[in-house]
């Protein structure tokens, strides 16, 4: 059956040993399971590890970046099990090791759905770390909500979501789009041409960015989408030439990114003439295309490899030591690293309080978690389960690294709904979370707020 779905699956036990006699249990809601007793324990086998699902595509059109998320997750889990990196001086979760149950959905949205069911129902994982595109997240969300399990999702996205079953460590719209559009207007001009891959995230993010541009007195001179995986952009580039924008806002993903940058330069359009402001373009894609094609263009992200913190220097060094000196780190990879430690800290909290690893307990233990991340100190917002993150803009240099040209003073409080489109709409989960509707319509402007621990 696994082969029928193109599923590559393996379990890695990162060590052995159990502290005490406490039985750790899975992320399940006893009320939602048919068994009379809540003592069924898919979280642990009584001898070794705590099973955690890892669900990223390492093949297909999105593998160019998803493989890096998997690598960062592996690094974090190894550090947690070995007591190294940020977990120095500890061993696993109160002595119990994390087991990776790894699947490869092959950049196929339907496979994400099927594999999430298998991870929960057959592999009995505690929770899942994974997904990259919004299409894949939307594919699995009904599974996690129906079964009341937790998904830790590490990617910047379009917002407009308030789920009790997802913790988000990627940027909300106000942590990526809100600062980048004013930067474009101020530094490039008011005419923007929008391009993206043809699925929910690029379209919704561009809709937000276009609203921000218009609110700032700018003009949308083009809006084009290409099928996911497209590598032919001559027609769109000709439209860009005709529109004569001051900048291009790119929400292309995967293999389309290197193709577009190369063809734009081959068409004689340089970064000095029409700079690109991109959201999905990271160090990973730039290394794949060659930095000469990205030089002078821009990306808006919470993290760049060039962030100057002690934690980032250690992160980059540790990642390269594990995966090779030529590898680069990137923003989504760092978010995957963050979420793995949020999860581990929540498990540790439950273990110390002798609480079972139910969804309810892990959910309450994860909200409010803080972590000294490579980008700076971050925090899981206890109200909306998104993460306080820094907003940054980087200009790509000839070496494939970013010169940071804009950064907030501290991590920004996340707002899941774009205030340019949904004024006053926020997400507030009750404590404890009852899984009831958590969308609140305040009808008032939501002020920018920062974490008080830069």
């Amino acid at each position: 059956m696994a082969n029928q779905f193109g599923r590559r699956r393996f379990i890695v036990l990162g060590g052995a040993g159990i502290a005490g006699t406490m039985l750790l249990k899975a992320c399940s809601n006893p009320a939602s399971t048919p068994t009379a007793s809540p003592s069924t324990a898919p979280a642990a086998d009584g001898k070794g590890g705590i099973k955690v699902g890892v669900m990223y595509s390492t093949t297909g059109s999105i593998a160019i970046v998803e493989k890096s998320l998997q690598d960062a997750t592996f690094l974090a889990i190894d550090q947690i099990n070995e007591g190294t990196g940020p977990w120095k001086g500890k061993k696993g979760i109160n002595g119990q090791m994390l087991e990776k149950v790894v699947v490869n959905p092959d950049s196929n949205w339907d496979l994400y759905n099927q594999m999430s069911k298998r991870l929960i129902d057959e592999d009995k994982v505690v929770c899942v770390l994974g997904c990259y595109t919004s299409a894949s997240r939307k594919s699995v969300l009904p599974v996690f909500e129906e079964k009341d399990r937790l998904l830790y999702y590490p990617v910047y996205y379009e917002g407009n979501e308030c789920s009790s079953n997802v913790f988000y460590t990627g940027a909300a719209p106000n942590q990526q789009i809100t600062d980048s559009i004013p930067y474009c207007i101020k530094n490039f001009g008011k005419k923007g041409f929008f391009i993206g891959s043809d699925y929910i995230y690029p379209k919704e993010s561009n809709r937000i960015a276009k609203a921000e541009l218009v609110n700032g007195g700018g003009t949308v001179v083009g809006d084009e989408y290409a099928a996911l995986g497209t590598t032919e952009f001559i027609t769109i580039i000709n439209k860009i030439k005709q529109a004569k924008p001051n900048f291009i806002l790119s929400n292309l993903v995967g293999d389309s990114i290197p193709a577009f940058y190369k063809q734009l330069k081959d068409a004689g359009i340089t970064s000095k003439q029409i700079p690109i402001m991109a959201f999905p373009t990271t160090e990973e894609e730039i290394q794949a295309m060659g930095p000469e094609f990205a030089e002078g263009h821009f990306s808006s992200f919470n993290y760049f490899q060039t962030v100057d913190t002690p934690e980032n220097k250690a992160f980059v060094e540790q990642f390269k030591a594990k995966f090779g000196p030529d590898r680069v780190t990137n923003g989504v990879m760092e978010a995957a690293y963050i979420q793995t430690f949020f999860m581990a800290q929540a498990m540790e909290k439950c273990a110390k309080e002798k609480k079972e690893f139910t969804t309810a307990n892990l959910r309450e233990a994860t909200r409010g978690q803080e972590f000294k991340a490579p980008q700076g100190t971050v925090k899981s917002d206890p109200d909306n389960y998104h993460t306080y993150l820094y907003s940054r803009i980087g200009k790509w240099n000839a070496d494939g690294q970013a010169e940071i040209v804009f950064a907030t003073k501290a991590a920004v409080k996340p707002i899941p709904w774009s205030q340019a489109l949904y004024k006053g709409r926020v997400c507030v989960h009750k404590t404890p979370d009852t899984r009831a509707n958590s969308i609140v319509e305040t009808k008032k402007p939501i002020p920018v707020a920062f974490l008080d621990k830069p």
Side-chain angles (χ1 to χ4, degrees), residues 71-125:
D71 290 344
T73 302
F74 285 3
L75 173 63
I77 289 175
D78 286 350
Q79 290 177 335
I80 292 161
N81 285 339
E82 296 165 4
T84 59
W87 215 251
K88 186 176 180 179
K90 306 176 186 180
K91 274 284 186 179
I93 308 300
N94 214 24
Q96 193 165 10
M97 302 295 106
L98 297 176
E99 284 185 16
K100 304 188 289 281
V101 184
V102 184
V103 295
N104 170 23
D106 192 35
S107 302
N108 182 317
W109 314 148
D110 292 335
L111 286 182
Y112 281 90
N113 179 284
Q114 295 169 31
M115 289 180 179
S116 64
K117 291 176 182 176
R118 288 173 172 275
L119 285 169
I120 293 169
D121 294 337
E122 297 181 20
D123 296 314
K124 308 297 183 184
V125 299

Side-chain angles (χ1 to χ4, degrees), residues 33 58 76 95 99 129-130 133 218 235 246 252 261-262 295 303 324 379-380 391 398 405 426 438 442 446 451:
T33 57
T58 53
E99 284 185 16
L129 304 159
T133 65
T235 300
N246 297 126
L252 293 170
Y261 278 68
K262 288 180 179 180
E295 185 179 2
Y303 165 89
K379 178 181 179 179
S380 179
S391 292
V405 295
V426 295
S438 300
T442 71
I446 308 299
L451 188 62

Side-chain angles (χ1 to χ4, degrees), residues 325-343:
D326 295 332
R327 291 292 302 276
V328 292
T329 58
N330 64 63
V332 285
M333 171 195 297
E334 192 237 10
Y337 189 73
I338 290 170
Q339 73 175 14
T340 309
F341 282 97
F342 275 173
M343 177 200 72

Side-chain angles (χ1 to χ4, degrees), residues 265-281:
K265 186 173 182 179
D266 289 344
I269 300 176
T270 69
S271 59
K272 291 183 179 179
Q273 294 170 323
I274 309 178
I276 299 170
M277 175 66 75
F279 299 151
T281 303

